[in-house]
Amino acid sequence: MKRINIKCPYCGSRAYLRPASVVYGDHTDDTGAKLYVCARYPVCDAYVAAHKDTLLPMGTLADRNLRRKRMEAHSALKRLVASGLMTRKQAYRWLQTQFGLPEPEAHIAKFSELRCQKVIDLCRAFSRAQARAA
Ligand SMILES: [Zn+2]
């Protein structure tokens, strides 16, 4: 497996692959989930989930505010899909088009707070436009 060096964008320390229980507590030990956690955690509260199969980071390290924003953006997208206006696949393709991003970059785990807010706004505007058209 390729070793990857990841730096924390907040404090510049290295991030290390660690069991998710380091952050979430022991009850998550059995899941085998892993996170890239800033070496200065918990002083620097930045981490990101790793893909289970490849162990590559799902996106960039995020602090509390960014994590909250990413969660909001995810739920906005989920609501859009749940409303039946788009499939999950269509929703991600739509995001790619909106931001002019190639597919590997069009993931909320890679987005900044600003871009996450844009996702939330776009989803709202899309739903509103659909409601008007109906
Ligand atoms: Zn850090």
Side-chain angles (χ1 to χ4, degrees), residues 8-13 38-41 44-46 61:
C8 171
Y10 300 97
C11 72
S13 298
C38 175
R40 293 186 63 233
Y41 182 85
C44 177
D45 171 38
L61 265 71

Side-chain angles (χ1 to χ4, degrees), residues 27-71:
H27 59 281
T28 52
D29 254 352
D30 52 331
T31 65
K34 293 224 169 15
L35 304 170
Y36 284 88
V37 183
C38 175
R40 293 186 63 233
Y41 182 85
V43 175
C44 177
D45 171 38
Y47 55 86
V48 67
H51 288 284
K52 273 199 174 167
D53 42 354
T54 61
L55 291 182
L56 290 170
M58 291 193 185
T60 58
L61 265 71
D63 68 359
R64 189 175 301 272
N65 287 335
L66 180 52
R67 288 197 300 273
R68 191 186 308 128
K69 258 304 182 245
R70 283 177 177 171
M71 263 185 258

